[in-house]
Amino acid sequence: MDAELQKERLKPIRRHGCSDLQLYQAVSWFYTVIDMIISFMIAFMMDEGLKEFMLIVLTILITGIIFTCLRATLIDPTDSIVLKEQNLKSKGLEFKTDLKTYCLVCQAHVMEKSKHCFSCNKCVELFDHHCIWLNNCIGIKNYKYFFILVVLLVIFKCLRIIQDILLLLNSAFQILALISIILDPPILIVLSYLLGMHLFFKYKGISTYDWIKMKKDKEKSKIQQKQQQLPKMNESVGYGQLLSTSKRFDFKCSLSNKTDNKVPQQNFFPKALPQITKNQNVSTPQVTQLQSIFTIQPTSPNNQIQLRKEYEESDGRQIFNKVITEDSEAPENSDSRDEVNQNDQDNENQKSEKEQN
C-alpha cells in the first residue's frame, strides 16, 4: 500500500488538457477542424439568400464551440482546498480546517464530493468524469462549459446533415456528400446520447460518477442476494424433491435401457424358486420375497447384475439347508436282514431265561 502511494505521488500532475497532448484529443480536434472547414466551403456554394444565413449561423456556432472547448480544456478543476493547503505548506504555514476528508495521494484535505482522478493525478472538486476527448477532468469549475460545448456540437452536426442533403443535389460534389453522410449521423447519435444523459443527470441532481457508482452498487447487491439465496434453496430440498429427482433418474435409465439392446431390462417380479417335492422335508419354511416396485435404487445395468448375484446366493443357501435337513433326519427305509437278526437274538434270550427257571 505504501509503495503504491509513493508511485502515485511521484506521477506528474496534469493541471489542464493542453499540458500533454493525447491521441484521442488530437483526433477529435483534427476531425472538428476539418468538419468546420467543409461546412464553410459548402455554405459558400449555396445561393445568395441561403448562403448569408448559413454563414452567420456557422460563424456563431463555430465561435461558441472553440470558446467552450478551450475553456473546458484549459481550466484547472483541482479542488480549491487542496490548492490552498499546498500553497500554505510550501510557505511553511499551518492550514486549519474543519474538513474530515483527507487525500493520501495529494496529502491534503478535500471536500466531501471531491474525487481523486488517477489519470490527471489530482483531486477534482465535485468530480463528474474524466473526458478523454478534452484530456481533462470535468468538475464544478468547467462543467458548464463542457455542457454548452455538447449542446453546440449537436446543433452543428444537425446543420451539417442538412448541408449534406443539399450537397447531394449538386452532381459535382456527390462523393464528398456521401462521405459526410456516412460519418455525420453516427457522430450525431453519440453526441445526442451524451446530451440526453447529462440532461437526465441534471434532472436527478447527480453526476456521472454517482450514476456509475450506483450501477456498480446495484450489481454487487444482486450478486450478494444470489449468494444468500443459494444456501436457502439447498436447505429447502425435502423428501418430495428427492423423490422426484429419483423418479427422473429412473426414467432416464429406463430410456437408456430401451435404446441399448444388449442390456436386459429389470424385472420387478422375478421368477419363483423351484418348488419342493412332498418327499423333501425342510426344517424352515421358505418364502420367496418379491422386489419392491417402489425401489430406492435406480434401475441400471450395475444394479441388475447385483440382483442376479443376490438371487444366486439365496438359491445356494436354500440348497445347503436342504442337505443339512436330509442328513439330520433318520432314514425311512431300513434293511430287512437287520430286523431278522434282532428277532433271533430276542428268541435266544427268552429260551435262556426259561431254562434257568
Side-chain angles (χ1 to χ4, degrees), residues 8-15 76-97 99 102-110 115-117 120-124 141:
E8 292 296 331
R9 289 170 184 172
L10 293 174
K11 284 183 180 179
I13 299 172
R14 186 186 298 158
R15 293 298 178 186
D76 184 11
T78 308
D79 194 343
S80 57
I81 303 296
V82 176
L83 295 174
K84 289 179 182 179
E85 187 171 355
Q86 289 177 352
N87 189 18
L88 290 173
K89 284 181 178 180
S90 63
K91 294 179 181 180
L93 300 174
E94 185 180 359
F95 178 77
K96 295 182 179 180
T97 182
L99 294 172
Y102 187 84
C103 180
L104 296 174
V105 180
C106 296
Q107 294 181 338
H109 292 84
V110 295
K115 298 292 181 290
H116 187 87
C117 177
C120 299
N121 196 22
K122 62 186 177 183
C123 285
V124 180
K141 295 180 180 179

Side-chain angles (χ1 to χ4, degrees), residues 286 310-322:
Q286 297 180 359
E310 292 177 358
Y311 179 81
E312 290 173 359
E313 290 177 359
S314 62
D315 193 5
R317 289 173 185 172
Q318 290 171 2
I319 294 168
F320 179 75
N321 292 329
K322 289 178 185 179

Side-chain angles (χ1 to χ4, degrees), residues 12-29:
I13 299 172
R14 186 186 298 158
R15 293 298 178 186
H16 51 78
C18 293
S19 59
D20 55 339
L21 195 65
Q22 298 294 324
L23 178 62
Y24 292 105
Q25 182 185 11
V27 170
S28 63
W29 285 18

